Amino acid sequence: HSFPTRRSSDLSLVRFARLFAEEFVERGLRLVAGGTDTHMVLVDLSGGSATGRTVSEALERVGILANKNLVPHDPRPASETSGLRIGTNHLAFMAIDDRDVRELAGEIAALVTAMDLGRLPEQCPAWRRLGEFAAVLTAVGDRPDTRWPTDR
């Protein structure tokens, strides 16, 4: 990896969000508007057990920031929500690549799917792996010479 420049980071913002969107859709998650043209992805969780609040809180417990968000015609109250919003601002300034972003998105999708089926986050292997990813990111920050723990 090379250290990202400001220009490359600006370009990565949307590319990484689109990679998140593609991976989420490939894994069966629904997106508001079907995708993204910005640095954010909004997952529609309506109809399942997982809520924006429960998933964002689970991700926060392992060190990944996401937000609950209302979706159009949301059947849940604003305190719970049926939307999960994920942004790529911080990732775009890190020495990671498309493969890393896809892997992170895949683990988040696996967690959402498990929680949607009523499992607790702690019962999902993806939750533990997400914690490992977040710990590595926190430890290395923007250093370009360190890889995520992708060999499992």
Side-chain angles (χ1 to χ4, degrees), residues 3 7 10 22 101:
F3 188 76
R7 177 161 168 66
D10 289 346
E22 289 171 10
V101 172

Side-chain angles (χ1 to χ4, degrees), residues 125-138:
W127 191 71
R128 179 184 50 78
R129 290 191 296 266
L130 286 166
E132 293 169 2
F133 287 159
V136 168
L137 288 176
T138 299

Side-chain angles (χ1 to χ4, degrees), residues 12-62:
S12 296
L13 284 170
V14 175
R15 188 177 82 251
F16 285 176
R18 287 181 178 157
L19 291 172
F20 264 94
E22 289 171 10
E23 194 69 26
F24 287 164
V25 169
E26 286 175 14
R27 292 175 179 258
L29 300 183
R30 290 182 316 276
L31 303 180
V32 172
T36 187
D37 291 325
T38 70
H39 65 285
M40 293 185 294
V41 178
L42 181 55
V43 180
D44 184 348
L45 304 171
S46 55
S49 297
T51 69
R53 183 184 61 77
T54 59
V55 176
S56 66
E57 287 176 356
L59 290 170
E60 185 176 341
R61 288 198 313 270
V62 294

